[in-house]
Amino acid sequence: MAKYLAAILLTLLCLSARAQTWEIGGNFGGAGYMGDLNQHNPFKFSGLGGGIFVKRNFNPYWGLKAAYNYSIIQGADSLSSNAQDRNRNLSFKTSMTEASLMGEFNFWSMCPLYQKICLRPIFLLELRLQNIPLKLPTRAKLMS
């Protein structure tokens, strides 16, 4: 049964594959934030994030991309080098989800395969929905 399912799946993939018409992919990396528990370092990653996307190129100039991303961020005063922050002792951990729909216009046609470097200006228009649950920071331990 598994062989038949694999054969059907490969057949469907082959039938729908067209050069540069559909793009499917994903992303993975660090997630961070700027706020009370991270005021100075925009490149401080406090968690991981990842997502998936699918894009349809209607012609060499117009495309439409849908994406979904999920990440977790966290912060803790106990990790701070500042004594006042450590005494405050706040911490949090929360997840973020995001869904987006993006229209894309390429000012120049797609680059030929034989070019090694291809720079082209792109105009983007994006509609994004984010869900970030509001959780108040909590004290990691009781202060006396």
Side-chain angles (χ1 to χ4, degrees), residues 93-109:
K93 182 176 182 179
T94 191
S95 62
M96 299 185 302
T97 56
E98 171 189 86
S100 63
L101 185 63
M102 183 183 333
E104 186 176 294
F105 176 75
N106 297 297
F107 288 95
W108 299 331
S109 180

Side-chain angles (χ1 to χ4, degrees), residues 27-134:
N27 58 57
F28 180 78
Y33 79 102
M34 293 291 294
D36 287 344
L37 301 178
N38 180 23
Q39 297 180 13
H40 307 291
N41 186 357
F43 299 107
K44 180 180 179 182
F45 299 127
S46 63
L48 296 175
I52 57 173
F53 72 88
V54 62
K55 180 180 172 193
R56 169 81 159 103
N57 293 307
F58 299 107
N59 59 43
Y61 300 97
W62 290 99
L64 187 65
K65 178 180 177 181
Y68 174 80
N69 293 300
Y70 177 82
S71 59
I72 296 173
I73 58 172
Q74 59 188 345
D77 278 339
S78 61
L79 304 173
S80 176
S81 60
N82 185 326
Q84 288 179 331
D85 289 345
R86 284 194 308 273
N87 286 335
R88 182 177 61 177
N89 206 24
L90 297 177
S91 66
F92 79 97
K93 182 176 182 179
T94 191
S95 62
M96 299 185 302
T97 56
E98 171 189 86
S100 63
L101 185 63
M102 183 183 333
E104 186 176 294
F105 176 75
N106 297 297
F107 288 95
W108 299 331
S109 180
M110 299 284 186
C111 297
L113 293 175
Y114 60 84
Q115 282 185 323
K116 291 186 179 186
I117 298 175
C118 179
L119 301 175
R120 57 192 168 113
I122 296 174
F123 176 75
L124 304 172
L125 180 62
E126 184 173 11
L127 174 65
R128 181 179 293 185
L129 300 173
Q130 292 181 323
N131 179 23
I132 305 172
L134 178 61

